[in-house]
Amino acid sequence: DDAGNPIVVVATGYALYYTDAPTATSPQVFELVRIKNIDSLLSGQPIVGGDGALYYIDGPNVVRLTWSNGAIITEVIGPDSLSRADIPWDGVPLEASGDVTAICESLQHAAIYVAKGGLAASRNARIYRYDLNTGVWNCFYRHATAQRAITAMIEFNDDLHVGIEQSTTRGGD
């Protein structure tokens, strides 16, 4: 939390919970946030960014969670929420639309990587990089074959390694 007290966060597909168990003599469990897109397979999957904030998947977007003076602050940071009606080329293109399928923190850079798309015909999976210092998203990678979701990512020795579905049938890999 913002006072420097350690907490434990437990993620489910419906909500994030936290407990003061590491410091409390009689620990309690509190609901932190409720997931909005509970139909998304990976909603609720959290990571801790290099800036100390908690980032979690909520359907087509990533939410940044921080504490300030004991209050919880959540902010949808994108990438889907970036689309603006007055700028038609802004945000995620239609062919990359869909839920976030993987998220990972960069250990070498102040960034997180988010994979989305690839969940339907004519939808190519993409990896977006979110700069924690500037708050800017950019498309880092676009897979050449449609309907192949990126299901896992890890950064190792400054290289991003990805796991990509090998079948167009969910669960058929």
Side-chain angles (χ1 to χ4, degrees):
D1 66 7
D2 62 338
N5 300 318
I7 63 169
V8 175
V9 174
V10 177
T12 72
Y14 299 101
L16 298 180
Y17 301 91
Y18 75 98
T19 179
D20 54 0
T23 57
T25 53
S26 56
Q28 298 180 9
V29 175
F30 307 95
E31 184 175 285
L32 192 55
V33 291
R34 187 161 299 276
I35 304 299
K36 293 178 183 171
N37 296 289
I38 60 172
D39 292 334
S40 174
L41 181 62
L42 293 174
S43 280
Q45 180 183 350
I47 64 164
V48 176
D51 58 355
L54 182 73
Y55 294 86
Y56 66 91
I57 297 171
D58 196 351
N61 285 301
V62 173
V63 179
R64 181 177 190 261
L65 186 143
T66 56
W67 285 265
S68 178
N69 298 322
I72 298 165
I73 300 169
T74 58
E75 173 190 14
V76 177
I77 60 168
D80 260 20
S81 65
L82 301 178
S83 300
R84 293 176 34 192
D86 59 330
I87 305 175
W89 59 86
D90 193 33
V92 174
L94 181 61
E95 76 157 23
S97 64
D99 288 340
V100 172
T101 57
I103 186 171
C104 84
E105 174 199 6
S106 172
L107 301 174
Q108 305 294 324
H109 311 283
I112 60 172
Y113 295 101
V114 174
K116 56 184 286 104
L119 296 171
S122 303
R123 305 273 197 231
N124 294 68
R126 294 173 188 238
I127 298 174
Y128 292 91
R129 182 180 183 271
Y130 178 75
D131 189 305
L132 299 175
N133 294 323
T134 64
V136 173
W137 287 96
N138 68 331
C139 186
F140 182 80
Y141 170 80
R142 178 183 178 271
H143 192 55
T145 306
Q147 206 169 351
R148 302 282 197 277
I150 295 169
T151 56
M153 296 185 291
I154 188 169
E155 187 183 63
F156 183 73
N157 290 339
D158 213 20
D159 289 327
L160 186 65
H161 300 268
V162 299
I164 301 172
E165 289 183 324
Q166 298 301 309
S167 170
T168 59
T169 307
R170 299 275 102 53
D173 311 19

